[in-house]
């Protein structure tokens, strides 16, 4: 692919960029900044590819400098190249190479990450049986989790890199996937679980970048503890869990009431003590008044 049009990329503001993301079906954005040689290298490559993107992929390409939006898509900030497909961001995680950039975006014109819910999780992943759908790498997220939102483009890049080898998905742990999150004891967001052959491995590494995630899914998971995938909860299990939650609620409520009105437990303790003392006295008296057994004299013959 040669340089068909060496015109500079259009530089847009944050407001214009937000409008373009909503308006364009496919949009490539270079997040750049001044005095950044790495940014300049990516800009040169994207300028070279600009006409090819328009002609073959129907993609519009722009750049933005010192954007406040970059933190939403790239942990390392500038330079960052992000491909939006109907608003779904995909972070490019390669070198500023013309052929590599074009090939990556050409193969990933549709989102790579699947959205799973409680209703379809087991059917899609077959996590408990380790059956025929392959390995799955799943991110549990929440709409109010800022870090989760910042990893959206990164997780799409993980899915794109592992496409055809590992299924990459995400689950809303607070809404449509709340029961699945409870099933796997998800206590923080974001959380990442790797499912393979009926086992689950928890990603607990501090790095949340594409290379670390991909490495974990390929072989690093072997360094993590393998856990048996918990079976789906039965209706009886749900009832038990509900009863436990209700019990916890009333215990907490009772402790709160006692903290506000300490005289309640004092009266209760006094009442219990009075009952205990009364019972003890009754037992002692009963022992003292127990009639003695009278031995019957044998009749003389």
């Amino acid at each position: 692919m040669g340089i068909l049009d060496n015109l500079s990329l259009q530089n847009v503001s944050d407001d214009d960029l937000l409008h373009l993301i909503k308006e364009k079906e496919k949009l490539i954005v270079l997040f750049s900044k001044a005095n950044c040689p790495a940014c300049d290298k990516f800009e040169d490559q994207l300028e070279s590819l600009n006409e090819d993107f328009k002609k073959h992929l129907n993609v519009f390409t722009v750049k933005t400098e010192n954007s406040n939006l970059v933190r939403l898509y790239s942990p390392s900030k500038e330079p960052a190249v992000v491909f939006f497909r109907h608003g779904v961001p995909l972070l490019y995680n390669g070198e500023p190479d013309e052929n590599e950039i074009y090939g990556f975006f050409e193969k990933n014109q549709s989102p790579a990450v699947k959205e799973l819910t409680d209703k379809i999780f087991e059917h899609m992943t077959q996590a408990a049986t380790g059956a025929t759908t392959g390995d799955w790498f799943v991110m549990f997220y929440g709409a109010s989790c800022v870090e989760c939102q910042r990893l959206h483009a990164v997780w799409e890049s993980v899915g794109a890199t592992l496409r055809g080898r590992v299924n990459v998905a995400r689950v809303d742990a607070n809404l449509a996937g709340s029961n699945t999150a409870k099933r796997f004891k998800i206590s923080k967001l974001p959380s990442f679980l790797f499912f393979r052959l009926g086992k689950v491995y928890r990603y607990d590494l501090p790095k949340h970048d594409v290379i670390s995630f991909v490495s974990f899914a390929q072989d690093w998971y072997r360094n993590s503890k393998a856990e048996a995938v918990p079976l789906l909860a039965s209706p009886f299990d749900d009832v038990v869990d509900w009863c436990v939650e209700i019990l916890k609620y009333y215990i907490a409520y009772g402790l709160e009431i006692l903290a506000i009105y300490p005289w309640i437990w004092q009266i209760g303790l006094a009442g219990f003590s009075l009952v205990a003392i009364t019972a003890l006295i009754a037992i002692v008296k009963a022992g003292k008044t127990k009639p003695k057994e009278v031995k019957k004299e044998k009749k003389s013959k």
Side-chain angles (χ1 to χ4, degrees):
M1 283 169 285
I3 299 177
L4 301 179
D5 188 354
N6 200 31
L7 294 176
S8 299
L9 299 179
Q10 180 182 349
N11 193 3
V12 299
S13 65
D14 281 356
D15 289 338
D16 291 335
L17 178 56
L18 289 173
H19 178 74
L20 287 171
I21 292 173
K22 293 179 180 179
E23 180 186 67
K24 299 291 184 180
E25 291 186 3
K26 290 183 283 188
L27 174 71
I28 293 174
V29 181
L30 168 63
F31 290 90
S32 182
K33 63 182 179 181
N35 301 318
C36 173
C39 301
D40 295 337
K41 290 181 180 179
F42 273 107
E43 185 170 352
D44 290 340
Q45 298 301 312
L46 291 175
E47 285 177 347
S48 174
L49 290 168
N50 198 6
E51 284 300 320
D52 289 310
F53 281 144
K54 288 179 182 178
K55 182 178 179 181
H56 301 293
L57 305 183
N58 192 29
V59 178
F60 190 59
T61 309
V62 297
K63 74 171 182 177
T64 180
E65 294 181 353
N66 302 316
S67 172
N68 292 319
L69 300 176
V70 67
R71 72 185 76 175
L72 296 176
Y73 309 113
S74 174
S76 58
K77 298 185 177 181
E78 301 92 349
V81 180
V82 181
F83 184 18
F84 293 89
R85 293 85 29 96
H86 295 280
V88 178
L90 165 64
L91 177 67
Y92 176 72
N93 189 58
E95 297 298 322
D97 177 86
E98 182 178 334
N99 292 320
E100 188 178 342
I101 294 172
Y102 187 90
F104 185 73
F105 289 157
E106 182 185 34
K107 293 176 183 177
N108 294 285
Q109 296 182 65
S110 60
V113 175
K114 301 173 179 66
E115 187 77 22
L116 301 180
T117 64
D118 291 334
K119 292 182 178 179
I120 66 173
F121 182 88
E122 189 61 33
H123 173 72
M124 293 292 291
T125 65
Q126 299 181 16
T129 59
T132 58
T133 61
D135 300 341
W136 287 79
F137 203 3
V138 181
M139 177 176 79
F140 289 82
Y141 73 97
S144 60
C145 168
V146 176
E147 180 63 17
C148 300
Q149 300 307 314
R150 290 177 177 174
L151 287 174
H152 194 175
V154 170
W155 199 240
E156 270 292 328
S157 187
V158 173
T161 305
L162 294 172
R163 190 190 287 268
R165 293 176 288 167
V166 175
N167 299 289
V168 179
R170 63 181 200 154
V171 173
D172 188 336
N174 294 329
L175 295 174
S178 59
N179 289 332
T180 303
K182 183 166 63 176
R183 175 187 175 188
F184 292 104
K185 295 180 173 57
I186 300 300
S187 58
K188 63 177 182 177
L189 299 177
S191 285
F192 310 89
L193 301 184
F194 181 66
F195 298 89
R196 176 176 170 79
L197 301 176
K199 300 292 183 182
V200 58
Y201 304 83
R202 298 181 185 271
Y203 181 94
D204 293 324
L205 301 177
K207 292 184 177 181
H208 288 173
D209 58 85
V210 177
I211 294 176
S212 298
F213 284 129
V214 170
S215 176
F216 185 86
Q218 289 178 330
D219 53 29
W220 187 258
Y221 69 87
R222 295 188 178 93
N223 297 303
S224 298
K225 179 183 177 182
E227 303 174 21
V229 174
L231 298 176
L232 287 168
S234 66
F236 176 76
D237 294 329
D238 292 335
V239 171
V240 172
D241 290 341
W242 179 80
C243 292
V244 170
E245 292 300 321
I246 292 295
L247 185 60
K248 287 181 179 178
Y249 169 80
Y250 279 111
I251 290 175
Y253 180 73
L255 292 174
E256 184 179 349
I257 293 297
L258 290 177
I260 298 174
Y261 305 106
W263 52 268
I264 293 178
W265 72 266
Q266 292 172 354
I267 292 175
L269 181 60
F272 176 79
S273 300
L274 182 60
V275 171
I277 292 172
T278 302
L280 182 61
I281 292 173
I283 292 172
V284 172
K285 284 186 176 181
K288 288 181 178 180
T289 58
K290 185 177 180 180
K292 295 181 179 180
E293 294 182 357
V294 179
K295 294 182 179 180
K296 293 182 179 180
E297 295 181 357
K298 294 182 179 180
K299 293 181 180 181
S300 58
K301 293 181 180 180

